[in-house]
Amino acid sequence: MTSCIDYNDATEAISITIQVTSPEDYPKANVEGHVITLSGSRTFTATTDAQGIARFENIVPDVYSASASWKVSAEEYAETTGKTVENKSYTISGSLTAQTFGASTTTPVAMTTTISQDQSVLIAKVYYQGNKDDNYKNYVYAKYIELYNNSDEEYDVAGLYIAILESSSPTSHYPLQYLTDTIVAKQVFQIPANEPFKVAPGGTVLIANSAVDHTTKGSSNDPNLLDADFEAKDKNSTRPHENNPDVPELTQLFSFTNITYMNLIQGGPCGIAIFETIEDVTDDWVKNNLTYAYGTQKGTQYMKIPTRFIIDAVDILKYNGETGVDVNTKRLFDYLDAGYAFTEAKSGYDGRLVRRKVASTTADGRKILQDTNNSANDFESTDQLTPRVY
């Protein structure tokens, strides 16, 4: 026996359009010929026309995120703006986060963009998730951050600041709409500024919580960090990380608690920013740039960092299993990071890190890491935890 099937309530495919607009401070940007990536239950791509419009056909109604980015050379920037720049390229990027597209989406959805100057030093890897040791117990001591000199010139990182972004619960974290040109950090560290620390092109800076060989202490998959350049020394005996006296100490300038190591939260969120400034962070900022958690006037304080000083930043968000990434807890403005990175582990301990992808390799073998100002494009999740390897 057979029965009739009524398809009237089936979801019909739709066509949508997204229109890229020029950055406010670069209004003559060429918006033609750029790929927009649409990500949801499936991923689609389309290319913009002369008006910056990309059309997606046969799309299932759903909640999607979209992103686009492209490079602007120093010559093109100078020709368009009349401003002379010293061999610096730029990146234009834009994104739409958790946008609902349905049958009622009949007009082009605008994607605003921002332009930023490409930087020499980038955040290359963040190992924040932790692992299971050989006895299947949680092991969190091998976490690290790795920076990379993406330029073709030597770079002195002495005095560079590393900020660990605020990661409080959704009810008390700072929503972006209530911030103006600042981000909020729970910890600020500094690479010692007392002497130069020059990094060659393609060179790295390895910053560890515990600069020891973790392959013999955690699992065989954990990294050996004996050659770390700096270590965030643990001075709190109640939560001990093993310190390595042969590795220089990373200077801590601010912490929201008495934790002296880098508070990289397994499971996330775990955003990172690096910045430079000649302002007095240790005195003036501690007096004038502190804020309580959103909606409170007492308790834990965090440090506000003006975005104009930021060199690079990556939003690393929490993955909630079936509901996916919690995009409502983004800590960074789109002009700092138009997307986000993550690993698919709800509570961490999956032995994975996020690392920047390799965009190209020079004739002499130097890796050029991808930097489109969008971590959704630039970063990937991997279980290859060995530092300084790409």
Side-chain angles (χ1 to χ4, degrees), residues 131-133 136-141 348-349:
N131 208 349
K132 295 289 186 180
D133 66 15
Y136 208 70
K137 293 183 178 180
N138 294 339
Y139 190 80
V140 299
Y141 303 109
Y349 311 112

Side-chain angles (χ1 to χ4, degrees), residues 151-221:
S151 73
D152 58 2
E153 297 179 351
E154 191 176 61
Y155 194 95
D156 186 1
V157 298
L160 186 73
Y161 296 93
I162 300 100
I164 315 295
L165 303 188
E166 166 269 320
S167 59
S168 56
S169 66
T171 57
S172 58
H173 90 273
Y174 251 99
L176 286 175
Q177 61 265 36
Y178 296 105
L179 295 171
T180 303
D181 299 328
T182 59
I183 59 173
V184 180
K186 62 182 179 182
Q187 290 181 303
V188 176
F189 296 88
Q190 186 182 30
I191 294 174
N194 56 323
E195 61 183 29
F197 193 90
K198 296 182 179 180
V199 183
T204 62
V205 184
L206 180 58
I207 303 168
N209 268 339
S210 179
V212 301
D213 184 358
H214 295 278
T215 64
T216 62
K217 299 176 182 295
S219 75
S220 56
N221 185 46

Side-chain angles (χ1 to χ4, degrees), residues 141-154:
Y141 303 109
K143 299 177 182 180
Y144 69 85
I145 296 172
E146 187 173 312
L147 310 181
Y148 188 88
N149 182 359
N150 211 38
S151 73
D152 58 2
E153 297 179 351
E154 191 176 61

Side-chain angles (χ1 to χ4, degrees), residues 10-137:
T11 300
E12 294 185 1
I14 59 173
S15 297
I16 61 172
T17 54
I18 296 175
Q19 183 169 23
V20 170
T21 62
S22 296
E24 184 177 342
D25 52 350
Y26 192 70
K28 296 182 180 180
N30 178 11
V31 294
E32 183 178 8
H34 306 300
V35 175
I36 296 180
T37 301
L38 191 67
S39 302
S41 54
R42 292 179 57 192
T43 299
F44 305 89
T45 59
T47 303
T48 58
D49 62 16
Q51 286 71 48
I53 296 175
R55 186 174 182 85
F56 296 84
E57 305 283 359
N58 298 317
I59 302 299
V60 176
D62 201 350
V63 177
Y64 292 93
S65 294
S67 62
S69 63
W70 65 93
K71 296 290 185 180
V72 175
S73 67
E75 293 76 17
E76 182 182 351
Y77 185 84
E79 181 180 348
T80 303
T81 64
K83 299 178 182 179
T84 301
V85 292
E86 298 179 356
N87 299 320
K88 292 289 187 180
S89 60
Y90 291 77
T91 296
I92 294 177
S93 60
S95 67
L96 298 169
T97 302
Q99 178 81 37
T100 300
F101 291 101
S104 61
T105 311
T106 57
T107 58
V109 176
M111 177 190 289
T112 59
T113 62
T114 58
I115 185 169
S116 59
Q117 189 179 81
D118 294 340
Q119 299 295 337
S120 298
V121 177
L122 301 174
I123 299 165
K125 295 180 184 177
V126 183
Y127 178 35
Y128 67 103
Q129 285 286 43
N131 208 349
K132 295 289 186 180
D133 66 15
D134 291 335
N135 296 315
Y136 208 70
K137 293 183 178 180

